[in-house]
Amino acid sequence: MSGLEFYLTLLGMALIAFALRYGPMAMLGRAHLPPGLQQALRYVPAATLAGLVFPALLAPGGRWALGPHNEHLLAGLAAAWVAWRYRNALLTILVGMGALWLLRGMGL
Amino acid sequence: MGSAGPASAFSRGILASLPLLVGILPFGLVTGIAGLQVGLSPLEVTLMSAMVFAGAAQLVALQLIGAGASALFVWLATLVVNLRYLMYSSSLAGPLGALSSRLKPLAAFLMVDQNFALALSQYGALGPRLTPWFYLGSGALLWLGWVGSTYLGAFLGARLPEAWSLDFAVPLCFLVLLVPAVQDRPSLAAALVGGLFSTALAGLPYRSGLFIGALAGIGAGVWLENRTRRRG
């Protein structure tokens, strides 16, 4: 991506992020989000975030890899347990990375 | 609730957000490193954090930029990953309603998961006059932490060896956000369906499997919620 293309991309990203944050707040009193859309929006975080996590764990090389030889999956499961149990970002990242290095070091 | 001016509400927002920096800083470091890995300069990736201020969207955008995707796909990803702000913005319209029309855009710009949740939880105690200032204090600190940690990540990133597989920290950051987003059976269904579809479609160009997977996941969540409600 060239310099100019990057800055145009960045400008568009900034505008999109701002419009989503400002739009409903600015329009409130005049318009409400329809109930069906509100209901759908509640599931956006779970669905999109899982879409970002699952492929990195279940198919790290671009193909399904289910089993004990997939160190990304094992490290990710350890990190998921820590994230669920402690709700701590730093600890989750440390455990996940540590588990990956450990598994690699053991040559599994 | 002690002294009750906007200035003290602003500083209380800053204080209440200090512990949240622990969650922001590693995410920012990873974003800075990811920016370097796709060929951006430390200044460029820091500028992105300052202007966009949306961690998940930035990490996806960086992956797309690294994969050679066009601006259109990066914008589409930014839109999808940030859709939740529509929900946050409409929930915050009431608590932030006392702000002047000049400060409202600033408040919107500073909106992230953390100060959204914090401001809503404090609204009962602070009321409509002070909540906006509490929220702005929180947002200002989170923004500074985000921009600073991105720069630090980009600054350090060039010195970290590739053998450390630091790119694996990116899905771990998303995992940290995913876990609290799964609150009940419909949101669990949304996550499972969204995640498995995205994995199955991971080979599609420009990560378009992510969008299709997200739509399938949202559909699954809505379907299960409606079915449960009908059965009472």
Side-chain angles (χ1 to χ4, degrees):
Chain A
M1 196 171 264
S2 72
L4 179 65
E5 198 188 352
F6 168 74
Y7 285 106
L8 282 177
T9 308
L10 177 56
L11 196 62
M13 285 179 70
L15 288 175
I16 290 166
F18 178 73
L20 291 168
R21 287 163 163 152
Y22 186 54
M25 195 194 278
M27 287 187 315
L28 207 99
R30 276 172 280 163
H32 282 279
L33 296 176
L37 182 61
Q38 282 187 33
Q39 189 195 14
L41 287 176
R42 275 207 301 278
Y43 297 106
V44 168
T48 43
L49 291 168
L52 294 165
V53 172
F54 279 41
L57 304 188
L58 299 176
R63 336 183 72 187
W64 291 94
L66 305 174
H69 295 293
N70 179 352
E71 60 234 9
H72 288 88
L73 178 58
L74 298 179
L77 288 175
W81 183 81
V82 171
W84 172 76
R85 178 72 180 75
Y86 297 102
R87 301 278 157 112
N88 182 320
L90 187 62
L91 193 63
T92 305
I93 294 170
L94 287 177
V95 167
M97 293 307 299
L100 184 70
W101 295 334
L102 197 67
L103 291 165
R104 288 247 169 98
M106 292 182 345
L108 282 171
Chain B
M1 297 300 299
S3 58
S8 85
F10 188 86
S11 12
R12 285 187 46 203
I14 294 178
L15 285 178
S17 309
L18 279 173
L20 302 178
L21 283 180
V22 178
I24 298 256
L25 295 181
F27 211 164
L29 288 173
V30 171
T31 304
I33 294 167
L36 278 207
Q37 282 175 342
V38 305
L40 299 184
S41 72
L43 184 69
E44 286 169 338
V45 68
T46 308
L47 191 65
M48 179 186 272
S49 279
M51 288 171 63
V52 182
F53 193 31
Q58 285 177 236
L59 284 173
V60 178
L62 289 172
Q63 288 181 340
L64 285 167
I65 291 172
S70 69
L72 203 64
F73 278 95
V74 178
W75 293 338
L76 190 59
T78 307
L79 183 72
V80 172
V81 177
N82 280 340
L83 273 178
R84 67 185 187 285
Y85 288 121
L86 284 178
M87 186 174 63
Y88 295 177
S89 178
S90 45
S91 310
L92 282 173
L96 301 182
L99 281 178
S100 71
S101 54
R102 255 201 237 158
L103 282 173
K104 261 184 196 164
L106 178 66
F109 174 74
L110 292 175
M111 185 185 301
V112 284
D113 304 270
Q114 288 87 349
N115 56 359
F116 159 75
L118 201 55
L120 276 193
S121 71
Q122 292 294 307
Y123 184 48
L126 291 172
R129 196 171 71 89
L130 296 178
T131 301
W133 297 100
F134 177 87
Y135 166 93
L136 286 175
S138 168
L141 181 77
L142 295 173
W143 184 84
L144 283 174
W146 178 241
V147 175
S149 57
T150 306
Y151 180 74
L152 194 64
F155 177 75
L156 296 174
R159 291 157 183 79
L160 299 174
E162 210 161 289
W164 289 10
S165 309
L166 283 173
D167 45 347
F168 188 57
V170 173
L172 292 177
C173 286
F174 293 135
L175 186 63
V176 172
L177 300 173
L178 170 63
V179 167
V182 175
Q183 291 162 336
D184 47 24
R185 287 166 59 125
S187 53
L188 179 64
L192 288 175
V193 171
L196 292 174
F197 265 70
S198 297
T199 309
L201 302 174
L204 292 182
Y206 304 124
R207 311 223 17 200
S208 42
L210 178 63
F211 310 125
I212 303 169
L215 288 177
I218 292 164
V222 168
W223 175 80
L224 190 60
E225 185 192 326
N226 290 345
R227 204 181 73 128
T228 315
R229 197 189 289 153
R230 265 202 306 277
R231 288 189 176 176

